[in-house]
């Protein structure tokens, strides 16, 4: 392992690997990426694989629209030999309360301003988009065809391999033990395989980002929370879009190989690093999803697992450099939607490090860590 | 082996061939988790009941170690496929 680097990136998920690639593409030399386990072993490889642009704030619209533009050309740009399985089969978002209908009306107006062709769906039209939906209680829905699905493993590896081709050193099974600082600068990163002298560190540690913050004495107010997921055997095509219900708090999609993936948010889940699976989840998830999509009663679950959402206090990521420590960049607190905005996040972090003009300049003043101290929370109405 | 590795199926659930696994090993990918994530071998209906041992054998051969030294990927529940209907709160039966 090198004992000196220009940039050390902590975390081998999609965020860390994408940042490594974007930096290398901008001719930054001597980049080292450290991953304590294996690539995509954290949230990326455990996520629901969905990519949506139907958000309720300008910031999230810009991040997600920019990311989808990147996803559309990623296969070619990264020269990756396997299919990234980018399928723009849409997101279908049903509303079951008047309050949700009102919110969706506000969202859709904003989304259309940003050029998204989001459809307003009446209950009697729902089955033309999701043929197996039970429309009982459904008041309306929104549907956007250009949202969709990608294979998170392959996206993660595609970025990693492209970064390696450009000279990035990736060390898996290498644990960061500490980061040494002097006044307001970084001096070195210590790992279980040796020390690396460097002045720039990127914290892309996902569920463990707060621990990396502690190493440099920066209080990152993120915490981790288990989210569970299950998958069925593959079936003939039953429905195409991701169905995401804020009312029931579930999302489900039939993947390109025919398997149906589904997950729910549990408001009683405790903060922490628990990554076990529970029967209670399988029961609750089956109950909710089969109520809305009854034919799935016959689908057989073959596998369940869980992963960590890295939650921030306002459920919006922290993207930027610390104000108290030069060269300490954070890309964390994605609160369950890091995969889908990884392309734009990585471009922004790379632009910050190379002092380029940012594609989304207001990220600097709105998604920084200090917004929590200023009390300027960033409120996104459309999160599960 | 004189049989065509493109026609030998290692993982019957995800239709992964011997050639696909060999290609990964030849690229230096010898971590069972990486092989699983890149090929999907072991994530299908039978959850690796056949391919897990075959692939571990191939990894051991590639690395010139014994199979017991290969780090397995995680076993996930359930042991057999369960219809979602049997899991719903209305129908779930402890027995």
């Amino acid at each position: 392992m090198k004992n000196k680097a220009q940039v050390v990136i902590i975390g081998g998920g999609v965020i860390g690997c994408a940042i490594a690639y974007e930096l290398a593409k901008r001719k930054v030399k001597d980049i080292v990426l450290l991953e304590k386990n294996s690539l995509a072993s954290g949230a990326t490889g455990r996520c629901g694989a969905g990519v949506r642009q139907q958000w309720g704030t300008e910031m999230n619209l810009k991040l997600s629209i920019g990311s989808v533009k990147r996803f559309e050309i990623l296969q070619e740009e990264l020269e990756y030999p396997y299919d990234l399985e980018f399928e723009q089969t849409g997101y279908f978002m049903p509303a079951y309360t008047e309050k949700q209908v009102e919110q969706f009306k506000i969202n859709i107006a904003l989304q259309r301003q940003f050029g998204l062709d989001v459809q307003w769906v009446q209950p009697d039209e729902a089955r033309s988009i999701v043929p197996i939906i039970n429309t009982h209680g459904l008041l309306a829905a929104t549907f956007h065809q250009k949202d969709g699905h990608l294979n998170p493993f392959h996206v993660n590896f595609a970025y990693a391999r492209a970064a390696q081709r450009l000279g990035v050193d990736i060390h898996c099974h290498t644990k960061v033990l500490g980061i040494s600082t002097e006044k307001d600068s970084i001096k070195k990163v210590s790992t279980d395989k040796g020390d690396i002298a460097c002045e720039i560190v990127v914290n892309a540690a996902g569920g463990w980002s707060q621990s990396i913050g502690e190493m440099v004495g920066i209080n990152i107010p993120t915490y981790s929370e288990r989210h569970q997921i299950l998958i069925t055997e593959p079936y003939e095509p039953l429905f195409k879009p991701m169905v995401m219900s804020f009312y029931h708090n579930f999302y489900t999609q039939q993947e390109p190989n025919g398997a149906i993936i589904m997950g729910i948010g549990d408001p009683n889940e405790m903060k922490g690093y628990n990554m076990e699976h529970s029967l209670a989840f399988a029961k609750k998830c089956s109950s909710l999803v089969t109520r809305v999509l009854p034919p799935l009663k016959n689908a057989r679950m073959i596998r369940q697992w869980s992963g960590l959402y890295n939650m921030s206090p306002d459920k919006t990521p922290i993207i930027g450099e610390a104000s108290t420590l030069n060269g300490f960049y954070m890309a964390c607190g994605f609160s369950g939607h890091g995969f889908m905005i990884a392309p734009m996040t990585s471009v922004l972090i790379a632009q910050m490090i190379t002092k380029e003009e940012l594609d989304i300049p207001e990220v600097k003043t709105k998604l920084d860590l200090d917004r929590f101290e200023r009390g300027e929370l960033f409120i996104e109405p459309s999160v599960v | 082996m004189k049989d065509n590795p493109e026609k030998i199926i290692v993982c019957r659930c995800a239709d992964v061939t011997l050639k696909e696994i060999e290609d990964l090993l030849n690229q230096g990918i010898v971590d069972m988790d990486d092989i699983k994530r890149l090929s999907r071998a072991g994530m299908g209906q039978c959850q690796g009941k056949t391919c897990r041992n075959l692939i571990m054998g191939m990894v051991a051969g590639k690395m010139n170690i014994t199979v017991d030294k290969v780090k397995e990927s995680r076993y996930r529940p359930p042991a057999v496929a369960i219809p979602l209907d049997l899991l719903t709160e209305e129908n779930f039966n402890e027995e």
Side-chain angles (χ1 to χ4, degrees):
Chain A
M1 194 164 75
K2 281 182 186 165
N3 59 12
K4 198 168 177 295
Q6 216 182 117
V7 181
V8 171
I9 298 165
I10 304 171
V14 69
I15 300 288
C17 291
I19 292 171
Y21 168 74
E22 294 293 345
L23 281 171
K25 187 176 145 185
R26 286 167 176 76
K27 314 280 183 223
V28 175
K29 302 284 175 220
D30 294 323
I31 302 165
V32 176
L33 184 146
L34 305 171
E35 162 56 50
K36 69 172 176 170
N37 203 325
S38 48
L39 297 182
S41 57
T44 303
R46 296 158 185 273
C47 80
V51 176
R52 77 163 148 131
Q53 299 166 90
Q54 291 182 67
W55 290 93
T57 55
E58 293 193 10
M59 178 67 79
N60 279 325
L61 280 161
K62 286 181 187 174
L63 287 169
S64 62
I65 292 169
S67 293
V68 166
K69 284 206 180 101
R70 296 282 300 138
F71 279 134
E72 284 168 348
I73 55 161
L74 215 50
Q75 180 96 40
E76 208 176 330
E77 179 175 324
L78 301 181
E79 295 175 34
Y80 189 63
Y82 300 100
D83 187 1
L84 296 181
E85 297 169 24
F86 188 30
E87 307 267 353
Q88 287 175 294
T89 45
Y91 258 57
F92 178 89
M93 304 177 75
Y96 290 91
T97 65
E98 284 302 333
K99 203 178 153 203
Q100 282 179 338
V101 171
E102 289 315 306
Q103 184 63 54
F104 282 12
K105 278 183 182 162
I106 297 168
N107 292 354
I108 203 170
L110 186 65
Q111 290 156 2
R112 284 175 176 167
Q113 272 180 33
F114 276 79
L116 297 185
D117 184 19
V118 184
Q119 293 175 44
W120 187 260
V121 183
Q122 298 296 343
D124 61 347
E125 300 163 333
R127 287 195 161 189
S128 64
I129 298 166
V130 183
I132 61 169
I133 195 168
N134 167 11
T135 56
H136 179 77
L138 182 69
L139 298 180
T142 61
F143 175 67
H144 184 234
Q145 185 71 61
K146 295 285 185 182
D147 295 346
H149 167 280
L150 278 124
N151 182 318
F153 303 129
H154 282 307
V155 172
N156 202 142
F157 278 87
Y159 270 123
R161 284 189 184 183
Q164 281 171 317
R165 277 201 307 275
L166 295 174
V168 174
D169 282 345
I170 296 183
H171 296 281
C172 291
H173 306 288
T174 303
K175 201 172 173 191
V176 172
L177 303 174
I179 301 169
S180 310
T181 59
E182 217 177 275
K183 288 182 191 156
D184 50 7
S185 303
I186 296 168
K187 288 291 158 203
K188 67 173 184 191
V189 174
S190 304
T191 79
D192 56 0
K193 307 256 170 76
D195 293 354
I196 306 168
C198 69
E199 292 183 351
I200 298 175
V201 167
V202 181
N203 176 3
W208 295 268
S209 65
Q210 52 276 15
S211 318
I212 301 298
E214 276 170 30
M215 290 178 185
V216 292
I218 289 179
N219 174 29
I220 303 177
T222 52
Y223 60 92
S224 295
E225 182 182 283
R226 173 178 69 165
H227 279 246
Q228 301 193 63
I229 215 165
L230 70 82
I231 198 161
T232 72
E233 289 181 317
Y235 297 97
E236 292 298 307
L238 291 167
F239 63 113
K240 282 192 169 145
M242 177 77 87
V243 177
M244 180 170 224
S245 169
F246 293 134
Y247 178 78
H248 302 91
N249 223 352
F250 76 68
Y251 60 87
T252 181
Q253 182 168 43
Q254 186 165 25
E255 301 207 323
N257 70 359
I260 300 153
I261 192 166
M262 55 186 78
I264 55 173
D266 178 357
N268 299 318
E269 185 66 47
M270 291 193 297
K271 293 180 185 180
Y273 299 89
N274 178 5
M275 275 203 275
E276 294 305 311
H277 31 69
S278 74
L279 180 60
F281 158 77
K283 287 163 65 178
K284 181 94 184 165
C285 189
S286 303
S287 303
L288 290 173
V289 172
T290 59
R291 221 173 281 161
V292 178
L293 305 167
L296 298 188
K297 283 183 177 173
N298 301 318
R300 302 198 303 166
M301 162 172 114
I302 55 169
R303 187 177 180 87
Q304 68 174 116
W305 67 96
S306 69
L308 299 177
Y309 276 23
N310 189 229
M311 302 297 295
S312 80
D314 56 7
K315 297 183 180 173
T316 304
I318 300 164
I319 300 174
E321 188 180 7
S323 61
T324 52
L325 181 61
N326 294 327
F328 187 72
Y329 290 84
M330 290 159 282
C332 56
F334 289 94
S335 308
H337 48 273
F339 173 60
M340 62 179 79
I341 58 169
M344 221 34 228
T345 301
S346 56
V347 165
L348 290 163
I349 291 279
Q351 288 172 336
M352 287 176 189
I353 292 175
T354 55
K355 313 288 180 211
E356 279 175 48
E357 200 180 319
L358 302 191
D359 279 1
I360 310 176
E362 62 269 34
V363 163
K364 224 170 205 168
T365 50
K366 287 190 172 167
L367 296 188
D368 61 331
L369 173 67
D370 293 347
R371 73 179 184 270
F372 303 110
E373 231 165 74
R374 296 194 302 270
E376 293 170 6
L377 293 197
F378 193 93
I379 302 302
E380 164 59 56
S382 292
V383 277
V384 175
Chain B
M1 193 182 296
K2 63 178 188 283
D3 295 308
N4 183 354
E6 284 183 48
K7 294 206 167 147
I8 297 172
I9 301 288
V10 174
C11 167
R12 297 178 292 195
C13 302
D15 293 338
V16 181
T17 64
L18 183 63
K19 170 89 165 47
E20 289 173 78
I21 302 294
E22 283 175 350
D23 283 349
L24 291 176
L25 293 173
N26 290 336
Q27 292 168 45
I29 295 163
V30 290
D31 185 313
M32 287 295 287
D33 279 327
D34 288 346
I35 294 171
K36 178 185 79 177
R37 289 175 188 134
L38 288 171
S39 70
R40 302 196 84 86
M43 292 200 282
Q45 291 95 317
C46 88
Q47 291 289 294
K49 290 190 179 76
T50 304
C51 66
R52 181 189 289 265
N53 289 335
L54 294 173
I55 296 171
M56 284 176 70
M58 291 173 73
V59 169
K62 183 80 191 175
M63 296 181 75
N64 219 359
I65 55 175
T66 51
V67 174
D68 60 304
K69 298 282 190 300
V70 178
K71 191 172 174 286
E72 285 187 85
S73 54
R74 180 88 186 263
Y75 286 87
R76 301 281 184 195
V80 293
I82 308 171
L84 297 186
D85 200 23
L86 291 184
L87 287 164
T88 58
E89 276 144 359
E90 302 91 274
N91 296 341
F92 187 76
N93 184 333
E94 284 292 340
E95 286 158 31

